[in-house]
């Protein structure tokens, strides 16, 4: 566990530096610093500061005339400035927290533990010169969520249909290549460093659909997992493994995977003990059970709680947890059957089990009731299980939001979800639930935190679309502090990524990036499926429009458009009753087509095309207006990006990559506009009030 | 070329005997026969008769008291009965023809050549005991088409998307396996024998989409083709090769494939000479050029005639021909553009070239203008090129007709196409055109004949669905004689396939098979896309319904359904003008929505749902009625098949295979019915007059 730390400079060799270019370290690197702490993460910080100083002329080591002091709160022999700060703050800021002050021209950071030292260091990188400006009193920083994890849907062996990375749009996996461990461990290290700088602290290293080869990571290929863990450890990133619930059969040769079978329990206990011997700081398991064909406890007549608790029992002795996904629904639905509602499924399956899950179980709940659509209501499961540790799951990978060919800055979406108050304006937020500070308190000793499906691959720009890096960054930041403003996070990301050192970022570039990204989620929403109904994507790859693509399928994702109207009636009064899964006041708000927010109207209601929205427009005119306007908007941002190039504000290779993607976005947006508009004109027979061209 | 003939018994080892079970040979095999002829095919016949006699107690060799004499017309020393027949017929029946008579209790068959001997032999097999009944005067049999070919869309290397056999529904290829020549040459031999017994006389051995590995069959993998030819030769089956037009570049290292470049011409001449040295009876090439991404002469500014003629020049010295496919259209069409009409494409490309093709070119024309749909008008190209050898191409493989999971006996479809009279009731038929006896006579010394994409694979039943064997059989029979009645062909097939020797076929089985198969094409048509509009299938695999699956794509296959009506306006007056590609009277018939046959109405016209058909029903009610009735019909035939089992009339493994497919057909037909009916109810808002359930 104490292998030498790779010099940070070596981490930026063949790929884009993302939000950690050398220039971002100029403020720290040009000063004299003192560092007091020990352990692997302290060593990492020390090496980071040394590398920065080597490049920018600063120095480390001397307490005398240090302008920056980084120290553990508990360090015995602190320099005077740090001692003074410690005396002025009431309590240790906690393992991952830190206190920052500037007093008498010295910037002092006191961390509760080595992890806090690391996060504090990257906080200083973000601040840049601002960390060394006017004096200011102590400020304490702590993560709101203890658990901030990226799930990688990476296959070890290339999958026939899904390839190396399921729903991956940035090349191959950074962990695995053609059935083997990556040959580029430095890239894994660099990824861990980027994650640490964003605030994330965990990854799961393989796809939740665990195929035959991947299942073996748990046993005879455990060394591969250990190698990944070794690379990530210096940046405080814990490693988790997706496991197949049928592993006792697949790997152990047992006749059953029944969670109540003592032989099965014993197999998991022994197997997990072996994992922890090999990887002492192993995080735990991620499980997709009884979902879309994956094995699970149902085969043995057992509940999800019984299944999850068995794994929790194996992990708990080592402090591990199991993330148990709540993505369970009938994926063999009959489209003729309008009473079955996929939106209801997670609640129907899991809400009755509240209180039955062991402390070491985290129930991982997608933010919406369907599947990562650009617009969904918040999942009612998040308000239904006060006695269960709940994690909120989002997608950084843009499966349904343009697949990293479209610009779609997702922080505003996540911020809305995290800020949603299921119990009304004076109640707790979803972020409170995930942090373990919502109703019911903190079962299991803390909330489940925030989990995202990663958008990273072995692409030179990490995320395919260079601007999609901002989503990865914003995820970590929102997991750390869900109250952050998305636009402010974007500024942080711009400042780091495009900094020219002391000169900062040119105004024109900043303004252009805001113009392109701030509203890009809403723009995407507006040229795709209207008013919250979702899907309308091509089956299988989920890219591009196919309005009826899922309409007559088994997948439970319908829009029910006919010549008169569109939408899914999910009311209690006349529909599937899904609205009743929400607490007051949302159950009533969603129940009423007049109170329901416009953007979710046809998610909850089947309405005529002539229904009047709160905006005053009819549904059909809204469809036309948003599709014309949003497509126009894409053309505008493409022009703005071109102007940036003309004045040379970004590297030409990055510019070219974004420009190429914007061309595809423009083409695709036009295709969405024309197919949606033609489809609804053909069905409704109602012309555009403005007489624009509809084919 | 004179390798020993495999005993026929060995050909029926591991797979179903299809229409050549031992029992079918009992009439010949129980008699005394004399055979007079020499050469490979005569040897084949001799061996066939000997094998039959060995099983059923007859004998060959003695002219004395032979009840069956098989002899070449030109044979010098004929036995008396044959000599008498030769004296009574005016002329040699031609290379593939034969004269059959029964006189004084002796059945005599005189063949114009060894091939005639072979076809005559299988004719006797078909006749069975009837060949040995009452005396009858000489009857001459000759094939109407000289060219009767099965195209195999078999890949040598397994293709990522299309697999071993493109559009294959019967397992792997019988020629190729995982990149190599099959290890089961006996199966190839057995296939040739079945083809010969049906009347076919040629195969092309690889996919018209010629990928990298397959291209090399022409050069360094030519031995593989020769091996296939060796197996098929004893049954008179000639071998053709699909070639890539870019072969001079891919294989020859030339910088160009320009057909007017002397170096290119020389490469093809040398390469073709080498092919003929290795395979002296090699048939020629099949080419898909400038179509769906395949290379072709357009890249060099050359016409299809210039491209085809170059290959013809290389082949002509050896008597070879090139089949040049007329399947050329814009497969990057914009769905927004209603003026481009894929139906027009083949005519627009090829009709102007009439007279420019060399004699050794056969233009291979799909029977309809789109793509093997269950219902299309006959392609107008077939009436537009009197100075060109035209072959009619059909699909025995059921790409669009149920993929050998649905029963769909296709002989009635092909019979309609072949009997169609493009110039009106007193004009020539499509069969005349293909036979070279239509307007313009016989350019190049004979018509192009009939070509089909094979439905055969390495499946135990050859064709996946055992009843799909009848399609392969019927293809050969209709190519031999396009005037045959499909129901009579079906009887032949039933008699051969299900015979119990002297006892024949039980009546109940015969009646049931007719009930299941006679109208199965029409039934399939009725539960799928209505009134000739076609497609509405799932994109990619083309199985099952997706009404809008191709509606907003680049493929040129649209239905333009809106809330008022449906169909493609292909009239001259207001549409794409496609109707003008037909000669009188069909140009006028199709132009008028009142004269146009119901079954093609919305192929040619966009009409309101309330349009009244000749049947008196509205379009919308017709849709509902046909979909309910045809699905009901599938349930009925499934019950009938079950009854056959209950009384043990067919082998249980064959019964089980058919039963399994009928279950899938019933499920799929219901899906078609419900999706089509729901789609059009939602669009039209018009309820079913009979109040049946529409979801």
């Amino acid at each position: 566990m104490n292998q030498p730390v790779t010099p940070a400079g070596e981490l930026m060799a063949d790929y884009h530096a993302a939000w950690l270019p050398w220039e971002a370290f100029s403020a720290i690197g040009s000063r004299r610093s003192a560092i007091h702490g020990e352990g692997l993460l302290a060593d990492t910080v020390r090496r980071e500061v040394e590398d920065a100083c080597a490049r920018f002329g600063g120095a480390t080591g001397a307490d005398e005339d240090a302008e920056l002091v980084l120290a553990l709160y508990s360090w015995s022999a602190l320099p005077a400035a740090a001692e003074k700060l410690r005396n002025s703050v009431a309590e240790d800021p906690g393992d991952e927290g830190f206190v920052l002050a500037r007093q008498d021209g010295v910037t002092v950071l006191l961390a509760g533990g080595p992890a806090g030292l690391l996060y504090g260091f990257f906080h200083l990188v973000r601040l840049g010169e601002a960390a060394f400006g006017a004096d200011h009193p102590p400020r304490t920083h702590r993560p709101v969520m203890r658990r901030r994890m990226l799930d990688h849907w990476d296959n070890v062996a290339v999958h026939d249909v899904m390839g190396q990375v399921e729903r991956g749009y940035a090349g191959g996996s950074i962990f695995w290549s053609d059935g083997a461990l990556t040959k580029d461990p430095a890239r894994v290290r660099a990824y861990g460093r980027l994650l640490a700088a964003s605030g994330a602290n965990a990854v799961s290293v393989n796809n939740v659909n665990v195929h035959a080869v991947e299942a073996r990571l748990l046993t005879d290929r455990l060394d591969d997992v250990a190698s990944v863990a070794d690379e990530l450890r210096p940046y405080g990133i814990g490693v988790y493994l997706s496991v197949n619930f049928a592993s006792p059969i697949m790997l152990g040769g047992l006749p059953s995977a029944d969670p109540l079978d003592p032989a099965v329990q014993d197999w998991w206990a022994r197997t997990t003990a072996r994992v922890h011997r090999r990887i002492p700081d192993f995080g735990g398991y991620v499980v997709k059970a009884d979902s879309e064909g994956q094995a699970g406890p149902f085969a043995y007549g057992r509940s999800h709680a019984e299944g999850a608790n068995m794994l929790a029992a194996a992990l708990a002795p080592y402090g591990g947890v199991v993330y148990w996904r709540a993505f369970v629904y009938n994926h063999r639905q009959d489209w003729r059957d309008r009473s079955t509602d996929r939106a209801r499924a997670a609640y129907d399956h899991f809400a009755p089990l509240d209180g039955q899950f062991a402390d070491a179980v985290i129930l991982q709940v997608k933010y919406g009731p369907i599947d990562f659509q650009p617009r969904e209501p918040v999942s009612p499961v998040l308000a239904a299980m006060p006695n269960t540790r709940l994690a909120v799951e989002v997608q950084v990978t843009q499966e349904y939001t343009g697949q990293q060919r479209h610009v779609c800055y997702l922080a505003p979406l996540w911020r809305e979800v995290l800020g949603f108050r299921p119990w009304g304006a004076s109640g707790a937020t979803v972020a409170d639930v995930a942090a373990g500070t919502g109703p019911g308190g903190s079962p299991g000793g803390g909330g489940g935190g925030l989990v995202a499906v990663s958008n990273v691959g072995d692409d030179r720009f990490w995320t395919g679309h260079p601007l999609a890096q901002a989503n990865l960054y914003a995820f970590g930041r929102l997991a750390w502090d869900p109250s952050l403003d998305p636009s402010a996070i974007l500024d942080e990301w711009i400042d780091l990524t495009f900094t020219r050192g002391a000169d900062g970022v040119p105004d024109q570039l900043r303004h252009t990036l805001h113009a392109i990204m701030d509203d890009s989620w809403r723009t995407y929403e507006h040229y795709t499926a209207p008013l919250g109904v979702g899907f309308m994507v091509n089956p299988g790859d989920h890219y591009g429009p196919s309005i009826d693509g899922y309409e007559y399928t088994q997948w439970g994702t319908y829009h029910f458009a006919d010549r008169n109207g569109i939408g899914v009636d999910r009311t209690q009064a006349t529909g599937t009753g899904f609205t009743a899964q929400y607490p007051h006041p949302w159950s009533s708000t969603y129940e009423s087509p007049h109170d329901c927010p416009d953007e979710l109207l046809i998610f909850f209601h089947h309405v005529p095309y002539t229904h009047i929205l709160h905006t005053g427009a009819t549904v059909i005119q809204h469809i036309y207006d948003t599709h014309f306007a949003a497509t126009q908007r894409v053309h505008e941002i493409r022009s703005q990006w071109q102007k940036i190039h003309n004045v040379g504000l970004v590297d030409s290779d990055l510019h070219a990559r974004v420009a190429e993607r914007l061309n595809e976005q423009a083409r695709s947006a036009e295709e969405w506009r024309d197919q949606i508009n033609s489809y609804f004109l053909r069905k409704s027979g109602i012309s555009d009030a403005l007489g624009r061209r509809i084919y």
Side-chain angles (χ1 to χ4, degrees), chain A residues 91-131:
Chain A
E91 55 174 1
D92 183 321
D95 186 42
E96 296 187 313
F98 56 90
V99 180
L100 183 66
R102 187 167 171 88
Q103 296 171 334
D104 309 322
V106 178
T107 299
V108 182
L109 187 144
L110 279 183
L117 216 50
L118 183 69
Y119 295 120
F121 167 73
F122 284 119
H123 183 73
L124 291 170
V125 173
R126 264 195 299 278
L127 290 175
E129 288 296 334

Side-chain angles (χ1 to χ4, degrees), chain A residues 574-585:
Chain A
T574 55
T576 69
F578 172 66
T579 56
Q581 293 186 346
Y582 288 88
H584 181 79

Side-chain angles (χ1 to χ4, degrees), chain A residues 623-643:
Chain A
I623 291 173
Y624 298 149
D625 289 348
T626 50
H627 284 78
F628 281 115
T631 305
Q632 179 58 34
R633 181 81 195 121
V634 174
H635 286 279
E636 288 164 12
I637 68 171
R638 183 167 62 164
S639 303
Q640 289 169 312
W641 184 251
Q642 190 53 46
K643 285 188 193 135

Side-chain angles (χ1 to χ4, degrees), chain A residues 309 312 321 357-362 389 443-445:
Chain A
N309 291 349
V321 297
F357 287 99
D359 285 351
V361 174
I362 291 171
R389 294 170 84 175

